Amino acid sequence: MNDLKQMLILARYQLRNYIRAKRLYILIIIAAVVISLIVYVNATFGNPAEQEVKDTASDFAGFAPTLVVLTALFFGGDAIASEYQNKTGYFLFPNPIRRVSIFWGKYIASFISSILIVLMYYLSGAVYVFYYHQTVPVEYYYSLAYSLIFLLSLLSLTYMFSTFFKSGAVAFAIVTFLYFLVFNIIDGLSQIAGIEPWFSITYAASIITLVFSGEYMGDYTHSQVIHAGRGITITIYQPYLWEGVAIMLAYLVIASLIGTIVFQKKEMK
C-alpha cells in the first residue's frame, strides 16, 4: 500500500474520531452562535443596507481569524501528542505504516474538518451580504482564500508543537497560550520598538480583513507613525497582501518539515 492510500485511510479514521468525540459538532455550534450574534447585533444596532458592501462584508469577515485559530486548536492541538498520552501509539506505530503517513493522514483529517467550519461561516456571510446588497464583493472571496492559507499554516504550526509533547492537555494549553497571548504581545512590542513583525503569523493573518481596506485591494498604508507624547512613538504596521501570504506559506513549509521530522524520530516511552 502506497503512502497516499495510507494517509487517506488514517484521515478517514481520524475524521471518525472527531465525530465520535463531538468536536466537529461543538465547532459547528460555536460558528452558528457567532453567525447569529453578528446578524442580530448588526441588524439591531446598525443598518447594513446603508453601509458600503465592503464594510458589511468586512464586519462578517472580522471574526474569521479567531475562528480559524479555534478550529486549528480543536482539530490539531493534541492530534499527535494524544498518541503518546493515550498509549495508542503502541498499537498504531508497529503496523506497516510509515510515520509520515500517520502525520499527514491526521493533518488531512484536521484540515477537512476545519475547512468545513470555515466554509460554513463564509457561506453564511455571503448570504448575509447578498441579502442586503444583492452582490458579494470580490474582496470577500480573497478574504476566504487568505483564511484557508492561514488555516493551513496554523495547522502546520499546531502539529509541530503537538509533536514536542506527550500530553494532549499540555500541547493544547501551550498552543492556546502561544496563539492568543504570545503572538499578540510580539505584535504590540514590535509597534513600540518600531520593528515590523514580519516573523509573526498573526501579523500576516491581518490581511484577512485588510483586503477590504482602501478604494481597491491593497490600497492602505503599510506603516504609520503615531506620536503618543513624552517622546514615545508607535509605528502601526500593516503587511502587504503578498507579504502576508508569503509569511503564512513560510510557516506552513517550515513547521510541516519540523513536525514531520520530529515525529519520525520520536519514540514511545
Side-chain angles (χ1 to χ4, degrees), residues 162-202:
S162 187
T163 61
F164 293 161
F165 305 99
K166 294 185 177 181
S167 168
V170 172
F172 191 93
I174 293 292
V175 175
T176 302
F177 178 76
L178 182 71
Y179 289 158
F180 287 107
L181 188 62
V182 175
F183 277 120
N184 288 324
I185 291 176
I186 290 174
D187 293 346
L189 291 177
S190 295
Q191 293 179 357
I192 297 174
I195 301 172
E196 181 183 1
W198 55 265
F199 40 81
S200 168
I201 193 171
T202 51

Side-chain angles (χ1 to χ4, degrees), residues 4 9 13 17 24 31 37 52 93 121 134 137 153 177 186-187 198 209 225-226 230 269:
L4 179 58
I9 291 173
Y13 281 102
N17 288 337
L24 188 59
L37 286 174
E52 292 290 334
F93 297 159
Y121 182 80
Q134 290 71 56
S153 59
F177 178 76
I186 290 174
D187 293 346
W198 55 265
T209 51
V225 177
I226 299 175
R230 297 185 179 182
K269 292 182 180 179

Side-chain angles (χ1 to χ4, degrees), residues 67-97:
L67 182 64
V68 170
V69 172
L70 288 175
T71 58
L73 286 171
F74 264 70
F75 298 121
D78 61 348
I80 302 298
S82 61
E83 296 292 345
Y84 296 89
Q85 176 180 321
N86 301 328
K87 307 301 181 183
T88 52
Y90 282 115
F91 303 99
L92 181 60
F93 297 159
N95 290 308
I97 305 174

Side-chain angles (χ1 to χ4, degrees), residues 108-261:
I108 291 171
S110 296
F111 181 67
I112 291 174
S113 301
S114 299
I115 199 175
L116 288 174
I117 304 299
V118 175
L119 288 178
M120 167 191 163
Y121 182 80
Y122 268 90
L123 179 60
S124 301
V127 173
Y128 169 78
V129 175
F130 187 84
Y131 174 80
Y132 285 105
H133 300 281
Q134 290 71 56
T135 186
V136 179
V138 66
E139 290 86 355
Y140 191 74
Y141 301 107
Y142 276 89
S143 177
L144 170 59
Y146 297 148
S147 292
L148 296 182
I149 297 173
F150 184 40
L151 173 60
L152 283 168
S153 59
L154 266 184
L155 278 175
S156 297
L157 193 62
T158 302
Y159 265 66
M160 183 191 75
F161 278 101
S162 187
T163 61
F164 293 161
F165 305 99
K166 294 185 177 181
S167 168
V170 172
F172 191 93
I174 293 292
V175 175
T176 302
F177 178 76
L178 182 71
Y179 289 158
F180 287 107
L181 188 62
V182 175
F183 277 120
N184 288 324
I185 291 176
I186 290 174
D187 293 346
L189 291 177
S190 295
Q191 293 179 357
I192 297 174
I195 301 172
E196 181 183 1
W198 55 265
F199 40 81
S200 168
I201 193 171
T202 51
Y203 171 68
S206 62
I207 65 172
I208 293 172
T209 51
L210 282 174
V211 70
F212 297 100
S213 302
E215 296 297 323
Y216 55 88
M217 285 190 295
D219 178 31
Y220 54 81
T221 304
H222 177 59
S223 63
Q224 180 181 3
V225 177
I226 299 175
H227 297 282
R230 297 185 179 182
I232 300 175
T233 59
I234 299 175
T235 306
I236 306 298
Y237 290 100
Q238 299 182 130
Y240 298 112
L241 297 180
W242 65 264
E243 183 184 15
V245 171
I247 294 171
M248 289 188 288
L249 290 179
Y251 267 94
L252 169 61
V253 173
I254 295 172
S256 296
L257 287 174
I258 294 175
T260 303
I261 293 171

